[in-house]
Amino acid sequence: MTALALNRPTAKADRVERAAWYEAKANLHTYLAEQGGSDAARESALALSAHRRSLELLGHQN
């Protein structure tokens, strides 16, 4: 979590860099969702959103 926060791309980052960051964010939220608990559904939604954003940055259709 800390590494993700500290490595957030700047406005000068290219789209591939930003896409990789969003995919890492998606992976974190997927992991948290898999742990279960009351926030699992929200974590899944955040994972999906981050994954979609990553694909958008790479120019892929969702």
Side-chain angles (χ1 to χ4, degrees):
M1 228 179 203
T2 301
L4 190 62
L6 294 176
N7 292 317
R8 184 176 184 145
T10 65
K12 295 179 183 179
D14 67 20
R15 62 185 175 84
V16 173
E17 235 181 308
R18 290 181 308 194
W21 184 83
Y22 275 101
E23 196 59 33
K25 183 177 178 180
N27 291 338
L28 171 64
H29 287 295
T30 297
Y31 170 78
L32 294 172
E34 290 171 349
Q35 302 309 300
S38 61
D39 291 335
R42 176 72 177 142
E43 292 295 341
S44 290
L46 291 170
L48 181 58
S49 177
H51 179 68
R52 286 181 175 161
R53 182 64 180 134
S54 176
L55 292 176
E56 287 173 9
L57 286 165
L58 294 174
H60 296 128
Q61 299 271 333
N62 290 335

Short mmCIF file of all heavy atoms in Angstrom, two decimals:
data_model
loop_
_atom_site.label_atom_id
_atom_site.label_comp_id
_atom_site.label_asym_id
_atom_site.label_seq_id
_atom_site.Cartn_x
_atom_site.Cartn_y
_atom_site.Cartn_z
N MET A 1 0.82 -1.18 0.00
CA MET A 1 0.00 0.00 0.00
C MET A 1 0.88 1.26 0.00
O MET A 1 0.61 2.19 -0.76
CB MET A 1 -0.90 -0.01 1.23
CG MET A 1 -2.31 0.28 0.95
SD MET A 1 -3.22 0.18 2.52
CE MET A 1 -4.79 -0.14 1.85
N THR A 2 1.88 1.25 0.82
CA THR A 2 2.77 2.40 0.89
C THR A 2 3.51 2.58 -0.42
O THR A 2 3.61 3.71 -0.93
CB THR A 2 3.78 2.23 2.05
OG1 THR A 2 3.06 2.10 3.26
CG2 THR A 2 4.71 3.41 2.14
N ALA A 3 4.01 1.50 -0.99
CA ALA A 3 4.73 1.58 -2.26
C ALA A 3 3.83 2.14 -3.35
O ALA A 3 4.26 2.95 -4.17
CB ALA A 3 5.27 0.22 -2.66
N LEU A 4 2.59 1.72 -3.36
CA LEU A 4 1.64 2.21 -4.35
C LEU A 4 1.43 3.71 -4.19
O LEU A 4 1.45 4.46 -5.17
CB LEU A 4 0.31 1.46 -4.20
CG LEU A 4 -0.72 1.69 -5.29
CD1 LEU A 4 -0.20 1.22 -6.65
CD2 LEU A 4 -2.00 0.96 -4.95
N ALA A 5 1.28 4.15 -2.98
CA ALA A 5 1.08 5.58 -2.72
C ALA A 5 2.32 6.39 -3.07
O ALA A 5 2.21 7.47 -3.67
CB ALA A 5 0.70 5.80 -1.26
N LEU A 6 3.48 5.89 -2.75
CA LEU A 6 4.71 6.62 -3.00
C LEU A 6 5.10 6.62 -4.48
O LEU A 6 5.84 7.50 -4.92
CB LEU A 6 5.85 6.05 -2.17
CG LEU A 6 5.71 6.22 -0.66
CD1 LEU A 6 6.85 5.52 0.07
CD2 LEU A 6 5.66 7.70 -0.28
N ASN A 7 4.63 5.65 -5.22
CA ASN A 7 5.00 5.52 -6.63
C ASN A 7 3.91 6.01 -7.58
O ASN A 7 3.96 5.70 -8.78
CB ASN A 7 5.37 4.07 -6.96
CG ASN A 7 6.64 3.65 -6.27
OD1 ASN A 7 7.60 4.42 -6.24
ND2 ASN A 7 6.64 2.47 -5.70
N ARG A 8 2.96 6.76 -7.06
CA ARG A 8 1.90 7.28 -7.92
C ARG A 8 2.55 8.14 -9.01
O ARG A 8 3.37 9.01 -8.73
CB ARG A 8 0.91 8.10 -7.11
CG ARG A 8 -0.26 8.57 -7.93
CD ARG A 8 -1.26 9.30 -7.08
NE ARG A 8 -2.39 9.61 -7.93
CZ ARG A 8 -3.63 9.63 -7.53
NH1 ARG A 8 -3.91 9.38 -6.27
NH2 ARG A 8 -4.59 9.92 -8.37
N PRO A 9 2.16 7.91 -10.27
CA PRO A 9 2.77 8.67 -11.35
C PRO A 9 2.42 10.16 -11.30
O PRO A 9 1.35 10.54 -10.85
CB PRO A 9 2.20 8.04 -12.62
CG PRO A 9 1.10 7.16 -12.21
CD PRO A 9 1.19 6.94 -10.74
N THR A 10 3.35 10.95 -11.75
CA THR A 10 3.14 12.40 -11.80
C THR A 10 2.39 12.75 -13.09
O THR A 10 2.19 11.91 -13.96
CB THR A 10 4.48 13.14 -11.79
OG1 THR A 10 5.18 12.83 -13.00
CG2 THR A 10 5.32 12.76 -10.57
N ALA A 11 2.04 14.01 -13.21
CA ALA A 11 1.35 14.48 -14.41
C ALA A 11 2.22 14.32 -15.66
O ALA A 11 1.71 14.24 -16.77
CB ALA A 11 0.95 15.94 -14.23
N LYS A 12 3.53 14.23 -15.46
CA LYS A 12 4.46 14.09 -16.59
C LYS A 12 4.64 12.64 -17.05
O LYS A 12 5.28 12.38 -18.06
CB LYS A 12 5.81 14.67 -16.22
CG LYS A 12 5.77 16.16 -15.98
CD LYS A 12 7.13 16.68 -15.59
CE LYS A 12 7.05 18.17 -15.29
NZ LYS A 12 8.35 18.72 -14.90
N ALA A 13 4.07 11.69 -16.31
CA ALA A 13 4.22 10.27 -16.65
C ALA A 13 3.48 9.95 -17.94
O ALA A 13 2.43 10.54 -18.24
CB ALA A 13 3.67 9.40 -15.52
N ASP A 14 4.03 9.03 -18.71
CA ASP A 14 3.34 8.64 -19.93
C ASP A 14 2.19 7.68 -19.62
O ASP A 14 2.04 7.23 -18.49
CB ASP A 14 4.32 8.06 -20.96
CG ASP A 14 4.93 6.74 -20.55
OD1 ASP A 14 4.38 6.04 -19.68
OD2 ASP A 14 5.99 6.38 -21.11
N ARG A 15 1.39 7.41 -20.63
CA ARG A 15 0.19 6.60 -20.39
C ARG A 15 0.50 5.17 -19.98
O ARG A 15 -0.24 4.57 -19.20
CB ARG A 15 -0.73 6.64 -21.61
CG ARG A 15 -0.13 6.07 -22.85
CD ARG A 15 -1.06 6.25 -24.06
NE ARG A 15 -0.42 5.80 -25.27
CZ ARG A 15 -0.40 4.54 -25.67
NH1 ARG A 15 -1.01 3.62 -24.98
NH2 ARG A 15 0.22 4.20 -26.78
N VAL A 16 1.61 4.63 -20.45
CA VAL A 16 2.00 3.27 -20.07
C VAL A 16 2.36 3.21 -18.59
O VAL A 16 1.97 2.28 -17.88
CB VAL A 16 3.15 2.75 -20.97
CG1 VAL A 16 3.66 1.40 -20.47
CG2 VAL A 16 2.69 2.67 -22.41
N GLU A 17 3.08 4.20 -18.13
CA GLU A 17 3.43 4.29 -16.71
C GLU A 17 2.18 4.40 -15.84
O GLU A 17 2.05 3.74 -14.81
CB GLU A 17 4.29 5.53 -16.48
CG GLU A 17 5.61 5.28 -15.81
CD GLU A 17 6.36 6.58 -15.61
OE1 GLU A 17 6.54 7.35 -16.57
OE2 GLU A 17 6.77 6.81 -14.45
N ARG A 18 1.27 5.26 -16.26
CA ARG A 18 0.03 5.43 -15.50
C ARG A 18 -0.81 4.17 -15.54
O ARG A 18 -1.39 3.76 -14.54
CB ARG A 18 -0.77 6.62 -16.03
CG ARG A 18 -0.09 7.94 -15.71
CD ARG A 18 -0.87 9.11 -16.20
NE ARG A 18 -1.16 8.88 -17.63
CZ ARG A 18 -1.60 9.79 -18.46
NH1 ARG A 18 -1.86 10.99 -18.05
NH2 ARG A 18 -1.80 9.51 -19.73
N ALA A 19 -0.86 3.51 -16.70
CA ALA A 19 -1.62 2.26 -16.82
C ALA A 19 -1.06 1.19 -15.88
O ALA A 19 -1.82 0.46 -15.22
CB ALA A 19 -1.61 1.75 -18.25
N ALA A 20 0.25 1.09 -15.80
CA ALA A 20 0.89 0.11 -14.91
C ALA A 20 0.54 0.41 -13.45
O ALA A 20 0.29 -0.51 -12.67
CB ALA A 20 2.40 0.12 -15.11
N TRP A 21 0.51 1.70 -13.10
CA TRP A 21 0.16 2.07 -11.74
C TRP A 21 -1.29 1.67 -11.43
O TRP A 21 -1.57 1.12 -10.37
CB TRP A 21 0.37 3.56 -11.51
CG TRP A 21 0.13 3.97 -10.09
CD1 TRP A 21 1.00 3.89 -9.05
CD2 TRP A 21 -1.10 4.49 -9.54
NE1 TRP A 21 0.41 4.34 -7.89
CE2 TRP A 21 -0.89 4.72 -8.17
CE3 TRP A 21 -2.33 4.78 -10.10
CZ2 TRP A 21 -1.87 5.22 -7.35
CZ3 TRP A 21 -3.33 5.28 -9.27
CH2 TRP A 21 -3.08 5.49 -7.89
N TYR A 22 -2.19 1.95 -12.35
CA TYR A 22 -3.59 1.57 -12.14
C TYR A 22 -3.76 0.06 -12.05
O TYR A 22 -4.58 -0.44 -11.27
CB TYR A 22 -4.50 2.14 -13.23
CG TYR A 22 -4.94 3.56 -12.93
CD1 TYR A 22 -4.33 4.64 -13.54
CD2 TYR A 22 -5.96 3.81 -12.01
CE1 TYR A 22 -4.72 5.93 -13.26
CE2 TYR A 22 -6.35 5.10 -11.72
CZ TYR A 22 -5.74 6.16 -12.34
OH TYR A 22 -6.12 7.45 -12.05
N GLU A 23 -2.98 -0.68 -12.82
CA GLU A 23 -3.08 -2.14 -12.74
C GLU A 23 -2.55 -2.64 -11.39
O GLU A 23 -3.10 -3.56 -10.80
CB GLU A 23 -2.33 -2.79 -13.91
CG GLU A 23 -2.68 -4.24 -14.12
CD GLU A 23 -4.17 -4.48 -14.39
OE1 GLU A 23 -4.85 -3.65 -15.01
OE2 GLU A 23 -4.65 -5.56 -13.95
N ALA A 24 -1.49 -2.02 -10.89
CA ALA A 24 -0.99 -2.37 -9.55
C ALA A 24 -2.05 -2.05 -8.49
O ALA A 24 -2.25 -2.82 -7.54
CB ALA A 24 0.31 -1.63 -9.25
N LYS A 25 -2.73 -0.94 -8.67
CA LYS A 25 -3.81 -0.56 -7.75
C LYS A 25 -4.93 -1.58 -7.82
O LYS A 25 -5.48 -2.00 -6.79
CB LYS A 25 -4.31 0.84 -8.12
CG LYS A 25 -5.38 1.37 -7.20
CD LYS A 25 -5.76 2.79 -7.59
CE LYS A 25 -6.87 3.30 -6.69
NZ LYS A 25 -7.27 4.66 -7.02
N ALA A 26 -5.27 -2.02 -9.02
CA ALA A 26 -6.30 -3.04 -9.19
C ALA A 26 -5.90 -4.33 -8.47
O ALA A 26 -6.73 -4.96 -7.80
CB ALA A 26 -6.53 -3.32 -10.67
N ASN A 27 -4.63 -4.71 -8.60
CA ASN A 27 -4.16 -5.93 -7.93
C ASN A 27 -4.25 -5.81 -6.41
O ASN A 27 -4.61 -6.78 -5.74
CB ASN A 27 -2.72 -6.23 -8.36
CG ASN A 27 -2.64 -6.66 -9.80
OD1 ASN A 27 -3.60 -7.11 -10.40
ND2 ASN A 27 -1.47 -6.48 -10.39
N LEU A 28 -3.94 -4.65 -5.88
CA LEU A 28 -4.05 -4.44 -4.44
C LEU A 28 -5.51 -4.59 -4.00
O LEU A 28 -5.80 -5.30 -3.03
CB LEU A 28 -3.52 -3.07 -4.04
CG LEU A 28 -3.79 -2.67 -2.59
CD1 LEU A 28 -3.07 -3.60 -1.62
CD2 LEU A 28 -3.39 -1.23 -2.35
N HIS A 29 -6.42 -3.94 -4.70
CA HIS A 29 -7.82 -4.02 -4.32
C HIS A 29 -8.38 -5.44 -4.49
O HIS A 29 -9.21 -5.88 -3.68
CB HIS A 29 -8.66 -3.00 -5.10
CG HIS A 29 -8.44 -1.60 -4.64
ND1 HIS A 29 -8.79 -1.16 -3.37
CD2 HIS A 29 -7.91 -0.53 -5.27
CE1 HIS A 29 -8.49 0.12 -3.25
NE2 HIS A 29 -7.93 0.53 -4.38
N THR A 30 -7.91 -6.15 -5.50
CA THR A 30 -8.32 -7.55 -5.68
C THR A 30 -7.87 -8.38 -4.48
O THR A 30 -8.64 -9.18 -3.93
CB THR A 30 -7.75 -8.13 -6.98
OG1 THR A 30 -8.29 -7.39 -8.08
CG2 THR A 30 -8.08 -9.60 -7.13
N TYR A 31 -6.64 -8.19 -4.08
CA TYR A 31 -6.11 -8.90 -2.92
C TYR A 31 -6.95 -8.60 -1.68
O TYR A 31 -7.34 -9.51 -0.94
CB TYR A 31 -4.65 -8.52 -2.67
CG TYR A 31 -4.13 -9.04 -1.36
CD1 TYR A 31 -3.76 -10.37 -1.22
CD2 TYR A 31 -4.04 -8.20 -0.25
CE1 TYR A 31 -3.31 -10.85 0.00
CE2 TYR A 31 -3.59 -8.68 0.97
CZ TYR A 31 -3.22 -10.01 1.09
OH TYR A 31 -2.80 -10.49 2.30
N LEU A 32 -7.25 -7.33 -1.45
CA LEU A 32 -8.04 -6.95 -0.28
C LEU A 32 -9.44 -7.55 -0.35
O LEU A 32 -9.99 -7.99 0.68
CB LEU A 32 -8.08 -5.43 -0.13
CG LEU A 32 -6.75 -4.77 0.19
CD1 LEU A 32 -6.87 -3.25 0.11
CD2 LEU A 32 -6.22 -5.22 1.54
N ALA A 33 -10.02 -7.58 -1.53
CA ALA A 33 -11.36 -8.16 -1.70
C ALA A 33 -11.34 -9.65 -1.36
O ALA A 33 -12.28 -10.17 -0.74
CB ALA A 33 -11.86 -7.95 -3.12
N GLU A 34 -10.28 -10.33 -1.76
CA GLU A 34 -10.16 -11.76 -1.52
C GLU A 34 -10.01 -12.10 -0.03
O GLU A 34 -10.22 -13.24 0.37
CB GLU A 34 -8.99 -12.34 -2.30
CG GLU A 34 -9.24 -12.35 -3.79
CD GLU A 34 -8.01 -12.71 -4.61
OE1 GLU A 34 -6.88 -12.74 -4.05
OE2 GLU A 34 -8.17 -12.92 -5.82
N GLN A 35 -9.67 -11.11 0.78
CA GLN A 35 -9.53 -11.34 2.21
C GLN A 35 -10.89 -11.44 2.89
O GLN A 35 -10.99 -11.86 4.04
CB GLN A 35 -8.70 -10.23 2.86
CG GLN A 35 -7.30 -10.08 2.29
CD GLN A 35 -6.54 -11.40 2.23
OE1 GLN A 35 -6.31 -12.04 3.24
NE2 GLN A 35 -6.18 -11.81 1.02
N GLY A 36 -11.93 -11.05 2.17
CA GLY A 36 -13.29 -11.11 2.72
C GLY A 36 -13.56 -9.93 3.63
O GLY A 36 -12.84 -8.93 3.63
N GLY A 37 -14.60 -10.03 4.38
CA GLY A 37 -14.96 -8.98 5.31
C GLY A 37 -16.01 -8.04 4.74
O GLY A 37 -16.47 -8.18 3.60
N SER A 38 -16.36 -7.07 5.52
CA SER A 38 -17.45 -6.17 5.16
C SER A 38 -17.12 -5.24 4.00
O SER A 38 -18.02 -4.71 3.35
CB SER A 38 -17.86 -5.34 6.39
OG SER A 38 -16.76 -4.55 6.83
N ASP A 39 -15.85 -5.05 3.70
CA ASP A 39 -15.45 -4.16 2.61
C ASP A 39 -15.14 -4.91 1.31
O ASP A 39 -14.72 -4.29 0.33
CB ASP A 39 -14.21 -3.35 3.00
CG ASP A 39 -14.50 -2.33 4.08
OD1 ASP A 39 -15.66 -1.90 4.19
OD2 ASP A 39 -13.56 -1.96 4.80
N ALA A 40 -15.34 -6.20 1.28
CA ALA A 40 -14.96 -7.01 0.11
C ALA A 40 -15.65 -6.54 -1.17
O ALA A 40 -15.00 -6.44 -2.21
CB ALA A 40 -15.24 -8.49 0.36
N ALA A 41 -16.93 -6.25 -1.10
CA ALA A 41 -17.65 -5.82 -2.31
C ALA A 41 -17.11 -4.49 -2.81
O ALA A 41 -16.92 -4.29 -4.02
CB ALA A 41 -19.14 -5.73 -2.04
N ARG A 42 -16.84 -3.58 -1.91
CA ARG A 42 -16.29 -2.27 -2.29
C ARG A 42 -14.90 -2.42 -2.88
O ARG A 42 -14.55 -1.77 -3.87
CB ARG A 42 -16.26 -1.34 -1.07
CG ARG A 42 -15.64 0.00 -1.33
CD ARG A 42 -16.52 0.88 -2.18
NE ARG A 42 -15.89 2.19 -2.34
CZ ARG A 42 -15.93 2.88 -3.46
NH1 ARG A 42 -16.60 2.43 -4.48
NH2 ARG A 42 -15.34 4.03 -3.54
N GLU A 43 -14.09 -3.27 -2.29
CA GLU A 43 -12.74 -3.51 -2.81
C GLU A 43 -12.81 -4.11 -4.22
O GLU A 43 -12.02 -3.74 -5.09
CB GLU A 43 -11.94 -4.41 -1.88
CG GLU A 43 -11.61 -3.78 -0.54
CD GLU A 43 -10.68 -2.58 -0.64
OE1 GLU A 43 -9.99 -2.40 -1.66
OE2 GLU A 43 -10.65 -1.80 0.33
N SER A 44 -13.75 -5.01 -4.45
CA SER A 44 -13.92 -5.59 -5.79
C SER A 44 -14.29 -4.52 -6.80
O SER A 44 -13.78 -4.51 -7.93
CB SER A 44 -15.00 -6.67 -5.77
OG SER A 44 -14.56 -7.80 -5.07
N ALA A 45 -15.18 -3.63 -6.41
CA ALA A 45 -15.59 -2.53 -7.30
C ALA A 45 -14.41 -1.61 -7.61
O ALA A 45 -14.23 -1.18 -8.76
CB ALA A 45 -16.74 -1.75 -6.68
N LEU A 46 -13.62 -1.32 -6.60
CA LEU A 46 -12.44 -0.48 -6.82
C LEU A 46 -11.42 -1.17 -7.72
O LEU A 46 -10.80 -0.52 -8.57
CB LEU A 46 -11.79 -0.12 -5.47
CG LEU A 46 -12.61 0.83 -4.59
CD1 LEU A 46 -12.00 0.90 -3.20
CD2 LEU A 46 -12.70 2.20 -5.23
N ALA A 47 -11.27 -2.48 -7.57
CA ALA A 47 -10.35 -3.25 -8.42
C ALA A 47 -10.80 -3.19 -9.87
O ALA A 47 -9.99 -2.94 -10.78
CB ALA A 47 -10.26 -4.70 -7.95
N LEU A 48 -12.08 -3.38 -10.09
CA LEU A 48 -12.61 -3.34 -11.46
C LEU A 48 -12.43 -1.96 -12.07
O LEU A 48 -12.02 -1.83 -13.23
CB LEU A 48 -14.08 -3.75 -11.45
CG LEU A 48 -14.77 -3.77 -12.81
CD1 LEU A 48 -14.06 -4.72 -13.77
CD2 LEU A 48 -16.23 -4.15 -12.65
N SER A 49 -12.71 -0.94 -11.31
CA SER A 49 -12.56 0.43 -11.79
C SER A 49 -11.11 0.74 -12.17
O SER A 49 -10.84 1.32 -13.24
CB SER A 49 -13.04 1.41 -10.72
OG SER A 49 -12.86 2.73 -11.12
N ALA A 50 -10.18 0.35 -11.34
CA ALA A 50 -8.76 0.60 -11.61
C ALA A 50 -8.30 -0.19 -12.83
O ALA A 50 -7.54 0.32 -13.67
CB ALA A 50 -7.92 0.25 -10.39
N HIS A 51 -8.76 -1.42 -12.96
CA HIS A 51 -8.39 -2.24 -14.11
C HIS A 51 -8.92 -1.62 -15.40
O HIS A 51 -8.20 -1.52 -16.40
CB HIS A 51 -8.92 -3.67 -13.94
CG HIS A 51 -8.60 -4.56 -15.09
ND1 HIS A 51 -7.32 -4.96 -15.39
CD2 HIS A 51 -9.40 -5.11 -16.03
CE1 HIS A 51 -7.35 -5.72 -16.48
NE2 HIS A 51 -8.60 -5.82 -16.88
N ARG A 52 -10.17 -1.17 -15.38
CA ARG A 52 -10.75 -0.52 -16.55
C ARG A 52 -9.97 0.73 -16.93
O ARG A 52 -9.75 1.01 -18.10
CB ARG A 52 -12.22 -0.19 -16.31
CG ARG A 52 -13.10 -1.41 -16.36
CD ARG A 52 -14.54 -1.02 -16.14
NE ARG A 52 -15.40 -2.19 -16.30
CZ ARG A 52 -16.63 -2.27 -15.83
NH1 ARG A 52 -17.16 -1.25 -15.19
NH2 ARG A 52 -17.34 -3.36 -16.02
N ARG A 53 -9.58 1.51 -15.94
CA ARG A 53 -8.81 2.73 -16.21
C ARG A 53 -7.47 2.38 -16.85
O ARG A 53 -7.02 3.07 -17.77
CB ARG A 53 -8.61 3.53 -14.92
CG ARG A 53 -7.88 4.81 -15.11
CD ARG A 53 -8.65 5.77 -16.00
NE ARG A 53 -7.90 7.01 -16.16
CZ ARG A 53 -7.73 7.62 -17.31
NH1 ARG A 53 -8.28 7.16 -18.41
NH2 ARG A 53 -7.02 8.73 -17.38
N SER A 54 -6.85 1.33 -16.38
CA SER A 54 -5.59 0.88 -16.97
C SER A 54 -5.78 0.55 -18.45
O SER A 54 -5.00 0.97 -19.30
CB SER A 54 -5.08 -0.35 -16.21
OG SER A 54 -3.92 -0.85 -16.81
N LEU A 55 -6.84 -0.19 -18.76
CA LEU A 55 -7.11 -0.54 -20.15
C LEU A 55 -7.41 0.69 -21.00
O LEU A 55 -6.96 0.78 -22.15
CB LEU A 55 -8.28 -1.53 -20.22
CG LEU A 55 -8.02 -2.92 -19.65
CD1 LEU A 55 -9.29 -3.75 -19.71
CD2 LEU A 55 -6.88 -3.61 -20.39
N GLU A 56 -8.15 1.63 -20.44
CA GLU A 56 -8.45 2.87 -21.16
C GLU A 56 -7.17 3.61 -21.52
O GLU A 56 -7.04 4.12 -22.64
CB GLU A 56 -9.34 3.79 -20.32
CG GLU A 56 -10.76 3.34 -20.19
CD GLU A 56 -11.55 4.18 -19.19
OE1 GLU A 56 -11.03 5.22 -18.72
OE2 GLU A 56 -12.67 3.79 -18.87
N LEU A 57 -6.26 3.68 -20.57
CA LEU A 57 -5.00 4.39 -20.82
C LEU A 57 -4.19 3.72 -21.92
O LEU A 57 -3.44 4.38 -22.65
CB LEU A 57 -4.19 4.48 -19.53
CG LEU A 57 -4.72 5.49 -18.53
CD1 LEU A 57 -4.08 5.25 -17.16
CD2 LEU A 57 -4.48 6.91 -19.00
N LEU A 58 -4.33 2.42 -22.05
CA LEU A 58 -3.61 1.69 -23.07
C LEU A 58 -4.36 1.67 -24.39
O LEU A 58 -3.87 1.09 -25.38
CB LEU A 58 -3.33 0.25 -22.60
CG LEU A 58 -2.39 0.14 -21.41
CD1 LEU A 58 -2.31 -1.31 -20.94
CD2 LEU A 58 -1.01 0.68 -21.76
N GLY A 59 -5.55 2.26 -24.41
CA GLY A 59 -6.32 2.33 -25.64
C GLY A 59 -7.12 1.09 -25.97
O GLY A 59 -7.55 0.91 -27.10
N HIS A 60 -7.35 0.24 -24.97
CA HIS A 60 -8.15 -0.96 -25.18
C HIS A 60 -9.62 -0.69 -24.91
O HIS A 60 -9.96 0.11 -24.04
CB HIS A 60 -7.68 -2.11 -24.27
CG HIS A 60 -6.30 -2.55 -24.57
ND1 HIS A 60 -5.35 -2.64 -23.60
CD2 HIS A 60 -5.69 -2.90 -25.72
CE1 HIS A 60 -4.21 -3.06 -24.14
NE2 HIS A 60 -4.41 -3.21 -25.43
N GLN A 61 -10.46 -1.38 -25.62
CA GLN A 61 -11.91 -1.27 -25.39
C GLN A 61 -12.26 -2.06 -24.12
O GLN A 61 -11.68 -3.09 -23.85
CB GLN A 61 -12.68 -1.89 -26.56
CG GLN A 61 -12.40 -1.21 -27.88
CD GLN A 61 -13.35 -0.06 -28.12
OE1 GLN A 61 -14.45 -0.07 -27.62
NE2 GLN A 61 -12.92 0.89 -28.91
N ASN A 62 -13.20 -1.55 -23.36
CA ASN A 62 -13.64 -2.28 -22.15
C ASN A 62 -14.79 -3.18 -22.47
O ASN A 62 -15.60 -2.98 -23.25
CB ASN A 62 -14.09 -1.29 -21.07
CG ASN A 62 -12.91 -0.53 -20.50
OD1 ASN A 62 -11.79 -1.02 -20.55
ND2 ASN A 62 -13.16 0.63 -19.98
#
